[in-house]
Amino acid sequence: SFEALARHNVDLVRASGAELLVVPCAECARTWRLDYAPWLEDGGPTVLHLTEFIKENLDRLERVYKSLANPDA
């Protein structure tokens, strides 16, 4: 059932200790934010769609990319 899957997924993420969950699709973000909300009332990870994560971390990601692409600079 959906409820069993939701509980299972929430339990797995909680057991991992993750504070941030980055998801690759809009439906995943919606599911975690809205549909799983009843199982996350006492807290859970911050859920970001991949594009939100990139937007929030673009400066840092650019620095990492540049250091990897040009290690001698």
Side-chain angles (χ1 to χ4, degrees):
S1 73
F2 176 80
E3 183 176 335
L5 179 62
R7 287 181 190 276
H8 175 75
N9 288 340
V10 168
D11 289 346
L12 284 176
V13 171
R14 277 206 175 117
S16 77
E19 296 177 8
L20 174 65
L21 181 62
V22 179
V23 295
C25 70
E27 185 61 28
C28 294
R30 184 207 172 282
T31 297
W32 276 93
R33 291 175 180 161
L34 300 177
D35 298 333
Y36 288 5
W39 296 278
L40 294 169
E41 288 177 345
D42 59 344
T46 299
V47 178
L48 292 178
H49 184 273
L50 180 59
T51 58
E52 294 171 316
F53 176 81
I54 291 170
K55 180 181 177 188
E56 289 184 14
N57 293 281
L58 189 57
D59 290 340
R60 185 175 60 84
L61 293 170
E62 285 177 335
R63 288 191 302 274
V64 169
Y65 172 77
K66 286 176 182 177
S67 70
L68 293 173
N70 195 2
D72 296 327

